[in-house]
Amino acid sequence: MAAQQKRSWKLQEFVAHGSNVSCLSLGPTSGRVMVTGGEDRKVNMWAVGKPNVILTLSGHTSPVEYVQFNSGEDLVIAGSQSGTLKIWDLEAAKIVRTLTGHKSSIRGIDFHPYGEFVASGSLDTNVKLWDVRRKGCIVTLKGHTDGINFVRFSPDGRWIISASDDNTVKLWDLTSGKLLHDFKQHTAAVNCVEFHPKEFLLATASNDRTVKFWDLETFQLVSTIDPETSGIRCVAFHPDGHSLFSGAQDSMRVYGWEPVRCYDSFSLGWGKVADIAVSSNQLIGASYHQTNVSVWVVDLEHLENLIAKYNDETADVGNNVMEGAPGEQKPAKVVPSTKTPPRKAFSTERPQTTSSKPRPKAEQPAVPEEPSSKEEEKNDNKNLAAPDDIFSAKKKLDRTPPRQKHEPFQPPLEDPLSHGHSKQVPVVKPSAVVPDPVKPSKPTSVNENPQHQQMIPSERDKPAGLQLSDFLPSRAPAVNDPSQNNGNFDQHKFLPKNPAMSEKDAISALSKSHDSIATIMTARLKNLSVVARHWGDGEIKTAVQVSVDMNDQAILVDLLNVLCLKQTLWNLDVCSLLLPHLKDLISSKYESYVQAGAMAIKLILRNFAPVIKSNMAAPPVSVGVDLVREERYNKCHKCYSHLQSVREALSSKTNISGKMGSLFREMSLAFSSLD
């Protein structure tokens, strides 16, 4: 019987700093990079799974207390014990901004979803919003009575949430700079808060050993988990939004919230976990103790099936409780899952702005409360980049971790005889820059894969009687290795039977496929030039009509990608022309076509659903003649019919799992604006 695959394991443990580590953060997008800060006043960047430091960033004059990546993982911000914030450009490996104004240690930082702003929370009880381009504090939010532990922007960038040692969580509106709501039901310090990626839902984690879920439309408490054995240190929603992960002392649990339930739990040895992230269907957790950092992996491969099975069983038990005959022995009462009305979703599309328009009053930079000294300004200006260059695209350097899709981490090969024995932690002295982490130095073990370098025990760690080959998978003999050839192995069976293709034949074969692709692209370019001619003349409706008449989905997708960036060009005429074809796009086998169609449908619902709904509710009266109103009603009726047709097509796709299923469910929720 095959051994059961491990569900969680320690990936690595290494020395991260020359003195005690004080903070760490995982890359929010990939989960494959990590940044640490220490009492040695340095910030070190690491590739998860590898022991060598990628980059060491210096500049702080006091211990680093908090570090954070931006969403693109090309900027890092670090807050120090003195209250100073510094932002590094990882591609150029230099400081691009220094922000001063806090009067005490920084305990929470977050980048705005659009990048130009930063929020910070400090032990001085204040939350500050910074304009990074202009190096100024826009507003200081006051209201907490104790130090702040955590700050986070909402997914649409309009709110800031702050958690404090005063047992409260405060929600701030950035437009007005005022407090929206105060969540006060925790009985101990609040350590972490997270917004749901798609719904108006908030999770707050506290030292009172509970996680509470809040509805952000009504600000009411949705549910509370049963107290765990220790305070909750960090939480994270699954990217699909169906569950929440909570990290506590040596444990991790998976929760649902309506009703509250625990889907799964893991007993881990990560101690006081500092940060968690989801990557490649795995949860990555990182913790630190003194100078060491540990990274753990939890396999989430069967999580969706487990949640679906749990929900089905709960519904079945609930039905049995309801339908039990009198006198029968009823099973233990389980609260059946209740279907709640869909919540409003965050809009994550960046608002349209132009340089010619004046900046809103709320975003005008103010003079920081504590401007830096002349000497500090002089030193910082040496490393400052121009304001417009901070967020511009840069050429990737070899030291920057690759941004490709990562393969899941593999569990280590177990040694049954040495199970339970502690392994010696390799001492790695951080260096300034390790060039080209993609090509690490050749490992001394037989296995050439660098991911397995730490997973194979060294000779001195093995008990007597075990060989290194016991931990390696068996390999077939190489075809070209004469030493492996024997009477039972005929290498000619593995060689190609036909002679090798000549260079001329190879070029000819490639040219055949190239000619067909070139023909397709030439025809597509010709069609686009026709659409562009009408577009350039300002005839947007004609350009849309021409692209629709071409009956080419590729042309339509190209046009939609432009129209969705120019929302002011949309009107009811454009909607009525495009809606019949959007239904075909969301049923396409190409993911890019589905995403373009979904983006257009959500834009139409967001901008035109109120108009369509109001006109359908009040049709034109028969008395008198109002041609404009009748024409508008006919357009709205046509759009409404097509939208209902799209809605029916979506109803059969919401049960699909994975990324596309999540997109279809999000679109289905958007149709509630028509009800």
Side-chain angles (χ1 to χ4, degrees):
M1 182 177 179
Q4 186 176 3
Q5 185 178 1
K6 295 191 70 170
R7 301 175 63 202
S8 62
W9 63 91
K10 180 191 283 190
L11 180 66
Q12 64 178 149
E13 185 175 359
F14 58 93
V15 176
H17 287 266
S19 57
N20 288 343
V21 180
S22 52
C23 55
L24 66 79
S25 178
L26 291 164
T29 303
S30 68
R32 295 305 183 100
V33 288
M34 178 172 58
V35 63
T36 60
E39 294 179 359
D40 57 3
R41 306 185 295 278
K42 289 181 174 26
V43 176
N44 290 335
M45 182 180 173
W46 312 82
V48 174
K50 296 186 169 115
N52 296 325
V53 66
I54 297 173
L55 201 60
T56 294
L57 307 170
S58 302
H60 277 294
T61 57
S62 59
V64 178
E65 294 288 339
Y66 199 93
V67 287
Q68 182 69 34
F69 282 99
N70 70 333
S71 59
E73 298 176 359
D74 56 353
L75 296 176
V76 161
I77 186 168
S80 71
Q81 199 173 78
S82 64
T84 302
L85 299 164
K86 289 185 182 291
I87 302 177
W88 280 271
D89 179 354
L90 297 179
E91 305 290 349
K94 67 178 182 180
I95 298 173
V96 292
R97 281 293 179 268
T98 297
L99 307 171
T100 58
H102 281 293
K103 300 176 182 178
S104 188
S105 177
I106 305 295
R107 290 299 177 87
I109 311 173
D110 193 30
F111 279 92
H112 193 274
Y114 309 138
E116 295 91 344
F117 305 99
V118 166
S120 61
S122 168
L123 288 183
D124 64 9
T125 73
N126 294 333
V127 176
K128 288 183 179 291
L129 178 66
W130 306 87
D131 187 332
V132 177
R133 290 180 181 270
R134 304 195 179 190
K135 196 185 176 186
C137 177
I138 298 174
V139 64
T140 299
L141 306 173
K142 299 182 179 181
H144 284 290
T145 59
D146 208 337
I148 294 169
N149 293 323
F150 197 89
V151 293
R152 179 75 81 213
F153 281 103
S154 61
D156 59 2
R158 297 185 179 183
W159 297 339
I160 291 179
I161 196 83
S162 58
S164 171
D165 281 335
D166 61 10
N167 307 349
T168 66
V169 175
K170 295 183 185 295
L171 184 65
W172 310 87
D173 180 65
L174 295 185
T175 305
S176 63
K178 295 181 180 179
L179 181 67
L180 275 181
H181 191 73
D182 202 351
F183 304 94
K184 296 183 176 179
Q185 295 195 22
H186 279 292
T187 58
V190 183
N191 296 323
C192 181
V193 293
E194 279 293 338
F195 288 95
H196 192 280
K198 299 173 183 176
E199 299 179 10
F200 269 37
L201 185 75
L202 179 72
T204 60
S206 168
N207 279 341
D208 63 9
R209 302 178 296 153
T210 67
V211 175
K212 295 183 183 295
F213 299 92
W214 309 85
D215 190 317
L216 291 177
E217 290 185 85
T218 62
F219 299 126
Q220 298 298 315
L221 181 66
V222 176
S223 58
T224 304
I225 69 168
D226 294 332
E228 294 193 12
T229 56
S230 61
I232 313 299
R233 298 186 56 82
C234 52
V235 293
F237 280 99
H238 192 281
D240 290 341
H242 55 58
S243 58
L244 176 114
F245 307 105
S246 74
Q249 177 80 26
D250 292 330
S251 68
M252 192 276 287
R253 288 182 170 85
V254 187
Y255 288 104
W257 49 90
E258 286 178 320
V260 65
R261 64 194 73 177
C262 181
Y263 293 123
D264 206 353
S265 63
F266 297 83
S267 179
L268 305 166
W270 58 22
K272 295 181 179 180
V273 61
D275 196 15
I276 57 178
V278 178
S279 170
S280 302
N281 214 18
Q282 293 178 333
L283 182 136
I284 315 299
S287 62
Y288 56 87
H289 177 67
Q290 295 181 350
T291 61
N292 292 350
V293 168
S294 301
V295 180
W296 291 71
V297 179
V298 178
D299 188 9
L300 306 176
E301 183 179 358
H302 304 296
L303 178 61
E304 292 187 7
N305 294 335
L306 181 66
I307 293 175
K309 181 180 178 182
Y310 190 100
N311 291 338
D312 292 342
E313 292 176 353
T314 304
D316 292 340
V317 173
N319 293 334
N320 292 337
V321 171
M322 301 278 296
E323 299 172 1
E328 290 184 356
Q329 184 178 0
K330 297 182 180 180
K333 183 178 180 181
V334 178
V335 180
S337 60
T338 57
K339 186 175 182 181
T340 59
R343 292 187 181 87
K344 185 178 177 181
F346 286 105
S347 174
T348 56
E349 293 185 4
R350 181 170 185 160
Q352 298 294 321
T353 57
T354 60
S355 58
S356 61
K357 294 183 180 180
R359 291 167 61 89
K361 186 176 180 181
E363 294 182 2
Q364 291 292 343
V367 178
E369 295 180 1
E370 291 187 4
S372 57
S373 63
K374 294 182 180 180
E375 183 179 356
E376 184 177 350
E377 288 285 342
K378 184 177 180 180
N379 294 333
D380 292 337
N381 288 337
K382 297 178 181 179
N383 292 325
L384 290 181
D388 295 334
D389 294 336
I390 297 176
F391 300 97
S392 60
K394 309 173 186 67
K395 183 181 290 186
K396 296 181 180 179
L397 304 181
D398 288 341
R399 65 170 175 267
T400 306
R403 300 285 201 269
Q404 74 273 14
K405 184 177 180 181
H406 299 277
E407 293 295 327
F409 292 112
Q410 299 299 323
L413 301 170
E414 289 191 0
D415 180 359
L417 298 181
S418 62
H419 183 71
H421 294 277
S422 60
K423 295 183 180 180
Q424 183 176 355
V425 179
V427 178
V428 181
K429 184 178 180 181
S431 57
V433 175
V434 176
D436 197 2
V438 182
K439 299 178 181 179
S441 58
K442 187 174 181 180
T444 56
S445 63
V446 177
N447 196 335
E448 296 293 333
N449 189 347
Q451 289 188 355
H452 293 286
Q453 183 177 356
Q454 298 180 29
M455 300 179 184
I456 302 174
S458 61
E459 293 291 340
R460 64 175 180 273
D461 292 334
K462 291 188 305 176
L466 290 179
Q467 301 297 326
L468 186 62
S469 58
D470 297 335
F471 298 92
L472 298 175
S474 59
R475 290 192 254 178
V479 174
N480 297 326
D481 189 358
S483 62
Q484 300 292 338
N485 195 9
N486 50 46
N488 299 326
F489 178 76
D490 185 6
Q491 62 178 354
H492 297 288
K493 293 181 180 180
F494 297 89
L495 296 176
K497 296 181 174 59
N498 298 327
M501 185 181 296
S502 65
E503 182 178 355
K504 183 178 180 180
D505 294 337
I507 294 176
S508 176
L510 292 173
S511 299
K512 291 179 181 178
S513 57
H514 175 270
D515 292 340
S516 60
I517 293 175
T519 302
I520 294 172
M521 299 307 294
T522 302
R524 183 173 177 182
L525 180 61
K526 183 179 179 180
N527 291 337
L528 284 173
S529 64
V530 175
V531 176
R533 191 179 305 117
H534 294 287
W535 185 283
D537 294 337
E539 301 173 358
I540 306 302
K541 182 180 177 181
T542 306
V544 174
Q545 183 66 61
V546 168
S547 64
V548 168
D549 293 340
M550 288 178 180
N551 198 23
D552 186 348
Q553 288 190 340
I555 301 296
L556 188 60
V557 168
D558 290 337
L559 182 68
L560 285 176
N561 289 332
V562 177
L563 281 173
C564 289
L565 295 176
K566 302 284 186 180
Q567 299 187 22
T568 55
L569 300 177
W570 289 77
N571 53 39
L572 288 173
D573 289 326
V574 174
C575 293
S576 59
L577 286 174
L578 290 175
L579 275 171
H581 304 276
L582 295 182
K583 179 181 176 182
D584 297 331
L585 281 183
I586 63 173
S587 301
S588 174
K589 62 181 179 180
Y590 301 112
E591 183 177 339
S592 60
Y593 289 13
V594 176
Q595 290 177 344
M599 183 168 54
I601 291 172
K602 288 189 289 185
L603 187 148
I604 292 172
L605 290 171
R606 183 171 62 251
N607 295 334
F608 295 97
V611 178
I612 295 173
K613 184 178 178 181
S614 61
N615 279 272
M616 295 301 296
V621 295
S622 57
V623 179
V625 177
D626 190 346
L627 296 178
V628 175
R629 186 175 181 183
E630 289 183 1
E631 184 180 1
R632 184 170 61 249
Y633 174 79
N634 292 332
K635 292 177 183 177
C636 290
H637 185 273
K638 187 176 181 180
C639 291
Y640 182 81
S641 301
H642 291 311
L643 284 171
Q644 292 298 335
S645 178
V646 173
R647 192 175 194 175
E648 292 176 2
L650 280 175
S651 61
S652 61
K653 299 178 182 294
T654 54
N655 295 328
I656 299 175
S657 60
K659 179 180 178 181
M660 299 310 297
S662 176
L663 178 63
F664 291 138
R665 287 188 289 272
E666 183 180 351
M667 291 173 58
S668 181
L669 290 174
F671 274 92
S672 60
S673 58
L674 282 177
D675 299 335

